[in-house]
Amino acid sequence: MWRPASHSALMLMLIAQALPAFELTFVRHDIQQNYPRPWSISAADVDGDSDIDVVSHAYEGQDISWWENNGSQSFTRHTIASPILPLDIQTCDLDGDGDVDVLAALYGENRYAWYENDGSGHFTGHTIGNWNGPTRSFVVDLDQDGDMDVLAVACVGYPFGPDQLEADDLQAGRMGWFENDGNENFTQHILKDGWDHANSVHAADLDADGDLDVIATAGWAHQLCWFENDGNQNFTEHVIISGWGSPGSAWAVDLDQDGDVDLLATACNVGQVAWFENDSSHQFTQHIIASGFQRPHMVRPADLDQDGDIDLVTTAVYGNEIAWFENQGDQTFVKHVIAGNYSGACGICLVDLDKDNDVDILSAGDLGYRISWWEQVAAGIAEELPTSPRNRGRPTVLSRSQAGTLPPGCRMLDACGRVVPAAGRPGVYFLQSGGRVVEKVLRLD
């Protein structure tokens, strides 16, 4: 029988007061090695079999591929397009037929393309439009007419840094969108031309007027801007910050959960990650989350520790680092390093890959020639072991037979710190791992 509610509530109150800051454990699994220069990575059910597959690309490998998940996170590679020169990919249902297509910025071919899925993981390529140096894109129904459009940026120069440019490559960039007519015929609309090294783009309703605005960065113009939509896709530019060292990775999210849309961004040249607080009148205040990153590349939001606020995951290309920043609930952040030796850490995708109700991380290691997934595990317990408990959030639910198979070094403790035997009475307990009580609540049924 389950203990009375009052006793359970008391146990949880004691746990909340006694436990240290939340610590997550991630276990790396390489999906593909010797994959030259992967830059971005995405996840979706490509073949419609209800598990999560992986899509990525290799710039120097001249390839776009998808990796079929067998349901147990064992992956088989299938080529989508090769030889080809992609710098960015994302998954989407561009044609609205219920399956997963792939959008690509083909930097080396000066065009944006999409790859139409026939529903079983076989793809046909189509060109969306031709721009010099396409770098990133984002799929969204910008004009809200029921089909998916494509936001795009192009940097018109070698994307990996000005030190690798020839003199005649020092050209400006472009930001705009491709309007879908409903039959995947696209018309380009340029929102800003001559914008030096335009490198990221996103969409959200920043001013809460019911239409979608555009957020974008230009690295060598050192600007983060938003473009206000009047409802008819006429846009007015507003500079959020200028002179900030080569910003990128713009993303919109209500980070402080006050009902308006805030922004995230990185600054490559000064090694910073920041968020920009919206005052609900679309005036923004910058807050530095972290400094000292060696070329931060990407920042993405998710509630990793399942405590109701929004945490962040970031990568640093030259720092070879993947880290998550734990939100303390007031938008102050504690850094936790997931990996400090993941060579060329760049693209990430946050997804519950193994469907165990927590957030895992997909990553692309540009300089390490690999793509990987990082399994979030319960208090260091390897979840792939059939005798170990599955992490179902907080608390983890165990039967008494499962409690008897905890790995060595793991014990259950009651509120007084006493060891609870595997055949103990049903209740809510601490977990001790390696001699240390960790913030993982176990419920013994």
Side-chain angles (χ1 to χ4, degrees), residues 131 138 140-145 147 149-153 175-180 186-191 214 232-235:
W131 286 5
F138 182 73
V140 63
D141 184 5
L142 190 64
D143 52 7
Q144 297 179 313
D145 64 349
D147 54 40
D149 309 302
V150 177
L151 282 167
V153 286
M175 189 276 291
W177 65 292
F178 291 90
E179 180 182 359
N180 188 346
F186 293 89
T187 301
Q188 73 169 11
H189 302 275
I190 297 172
L191 300 189
V214 176
N232 295 304
Q233 290 62 252
N234 301 304
F235 292 88

Side-chain angles (χ1 to χ4, degrees), residues 164-177:
Q164 301 181 46
L165 283 165
E166 300 293 338
D168 59 359
D169 286 327
L170 289 168
Q171 306 174 58
R174 169 180 291 179
M175 189 276 291
W177 65 292

Side-chain angles (χ1 to χ4, degrees), residues 2 19 24 29 40 44 121 184 211 234 245 270 332 341 356 398 412:
W2 179 242
L19 292 175
L24 303 181
H29 307 276
S40 63
E184 293 67 67
D211 54 37
N234 301 304
V270 294
T332 59
N341 59 353
D356 64 350
L398 305 177
M412 294 189 302

